[in-house]
Amino acid sequence: MQFFDREHLRSIFTKPTNYINTNRGKEYYDNLYKKMEKRLNELKAQQPVKEAEIKFQELLETWELSRRDFLKWVSATTAMLMLPPQFEPLVAQAAEVMNRVPIIWINIQDCAGNTEALLRSASPTVDELILEYLSVEYQEVIMAAAGDQAEENLHKAVKDFDGKYLLFVEGSIPVGMPEAFTIGRHPKTGVEHVKHLAEHAAAVIAVGACACFGGVPAAYPNPTGAVGVMDIVKGKPIVNIPACPANPANITGVVIHYILTGELPELDSLLRPKFAFGYRIHDNCERRAHFDAGEFVEEWGDEGAKNNFCLYKMGCKGPFTFNNCSIVRYNEGTNWPIGVGRGCIGCSEPDFWDKYATERPLADSDIQPPGLHGVEATVDEVGLGILTATAIGIGVHAVASAIAGKKDETKEEQ
Amino acid sequence: MYQKVKRMTKTMRIFHWINAFSILAAVITGFYIGHPYYQTLISEPAAYKYVMAYNRLIHFFAALLLDVVSIAIFYLYFASRFEKPIKKLIPNRQNIKEFWEVFLNLITLNRRKNFDSSHLDSFNAVYFTILHLLLVWMLLTGFYMYVQGLESGLSAIGSWWPALLHLATDWVGWLLGGHAGVRWWHHFTMWIILAWVAFHIYYQVWRTIFWKEGDIAIVFGGYKFKKVK
């Protein structure tokens, strides 16, 4: 019988979770290695799509990054992609041929925070360098071209690299106000713009919480009808790299994976790469011991805060948020929100602004999820109401019963 | 004249108290997990004391006992040799009439009593079933949140367990709008169960007083008394 077929049962009980098998056996990795080598050789044979004169090694020197810094980055990235150490040379080569893959980066309804996070930090990182080195054909924030010239560049890039470029989208899509973000002399609405570029792309990468799930612009009452890229683009591979801003390490991770395999990495049910969004930040939090111990910060700046106690009571959303910030951190591992003593706001989860992003614990917050208004505060109020109503009902019934009981007794006596 | 009537077997009484104490433990620890209102004052390193961890442990054990006992009770609904509650749940004419008569007895403050009170009545059978449906709801929402901590897809008892939990509960997240929604409903359902408990205790005490049949003793000794005219 088909139902009791071993393979069928196996498929039922191995429903996709975020689990990533980090040891798939020698044969698998040997085949993967060959496949990646072949792909890299093909890419090497190609001319860099744009800045042919830039040599990667020279670029490293310009940025005062030593070979050693680069190799450290290679090890970290290989580990992040959950590949065994023998893949390090391939990852290094992939970084060096990244300028063979054309990129178009557009900004819709956003604050350019993801671009900022990538480009503006005190000291440049290899991740930032690589994004500079990528053949970015169009990027509204950093490109030199303006006006007609910019439009022409975009038009030319779409024509030249039809079906080959990676489209990065930053910002949510205002479907309720489609005329927003209509720019230039040959205007398309923001929605049309994304759809058009996505249609000609090899894959779409949504960067940041806004592009993934609507983010802050989609927060109640969402005046522009903001949605994520995956809600309007159909029939193209899409990767979501949420967080506010998206971690540069995760962006380069996805790109490196694409360079190495020509495919996108394994994704979870919200289209987030599993290598980055496979665990809750709570699972790897440096303050986790204090959570288990019941040691909480009670008030900003109290003794608990000075001793790095758990921020759960201050509204930390770490237990509900999938992201690797507790491992990778930001600004080349310098720090992250919880490290500086404030709770996680769950920025890599859908609808985070309405459901999570308050500095109060879930139990105290009067934020507005769909359905009933308010969260635990209202639950407790309504619940206490139900309990009070029950108690009152019981009381009324009991008193009435007692009176009725006396009447009965009187009757019997008579 | 009173006649002694057996109403609960030893197993049923054990199940009743497991349920009662598990619900109590789950409510107390659940309040703490939702909002940790006290914290340890012992100045030991975090690695030696586990206030939240113990609260979660007790909460999960209470849930575990409730789930296991509920499965046994579900089985006994159909297969008990003592009495089969399912027989009182079938909405046939006799059961609907009995449900209505018990309800009228309650709201008319025992002015009419046209049913046989020496057996499980339809009103109580429905009421207990509601509790078990609420517990199933707590199970689904609870496991939805529980499996978040097993996102590696591995567990102490094998990878089949998280996979099974995902299979059984992922739809709950879809239905209620993700973690925040599930958490809200898990918390809210607790209040409904508390209201259930309040009515249950009141009703049993009320019956004891007004029917004068010693109903409250059922859950301790297993027997009540029926007036024989």
Side-chain angles (χ1 to χ4, degrees), chain B residues 40-169:
Chain B
T40 172
L41 297 168
I42 313 159
S43 56
E44 286 282 325
Y48 294 118
K49 51 184 181 183
Y50 296 97
V51 177
M52 176 61 96
Y54 278 122
N55 271 282
R56 294 179 77 226
L57 188 78
I58 294 166
H59 193 77
F60 297 151
F61 267 113
L64 184 77
L65 282 173
L66 278 172
D67 293 344
V68 170
V69 169
S70 290
I71 290 167
I73 290 173
F74 179 75
Y75 167 75
L76 292 176
Y77 260 54
F78 298 90
S80 172
R81 285 193 297 156
F82 181 69
E83 62 185 10
K84 295 180 176 57
I86 192 72
K87 284 185 180 167
K88 292 287 181 184
L89 284 173
I90 304 161
N92 56 24
R93 184 175 294 178
Q94 193 197 332
N95 283 344
I96 292 171
K97 187 173 178 293
E98 190 180 73
F99 181 93
W100 187 236
E101 282 301 331
V102 179
F103 179 69
L104 285 178
N105 174 257
L106 177 71
I107 60 161
T108 61
L109 313 168
N110 206 26
R111 293 269 168 81
R112 55 184 287 164
K113 192 158 175 283
N114 305 332
F115 58 93
D116 178 6
S117 60
S118 64
H119 299 291
L120 174 68
D121 60 68
S122 273
F123 182 81
N124 255 349
V126 169
Y127 194 64
F128 292 131
T129 306
I130 289 170
L131 174 72
H132 286 285
L133 292 175
L134 290 171
L135 291 179
V136 168
W137 184 235
M138 289 307 250
L139 180 147
L140 290 168
T141 49
F143 274 128
Y144 176 88
M145 291 186 282
Y146 181 73
V147 78
Q148 310 300 330
L150 302 173
E151 272 311 305
S152 62
L154 300 170
S155 77
I157 49 173
S159 58
W160 61 272
W161 173 233
L164 183 66
L165 289 183
H166 275 290
L167 192 72
T169 65

Side-chain angles (χ1 to χ4, degrees), chain A residues 4 36 56 90 95 117-118 165 178 214 219 284 291 308 324 358 379 386 389:
Chain A
F4 293 105
M36 288 180 175
F56 187 71
L90 294 188
L118 284 174
Y165 63 85
N284 297 296
F291 172 83
N308 298 334
N324 59 352
T358 153
V379 178
I386 290 174

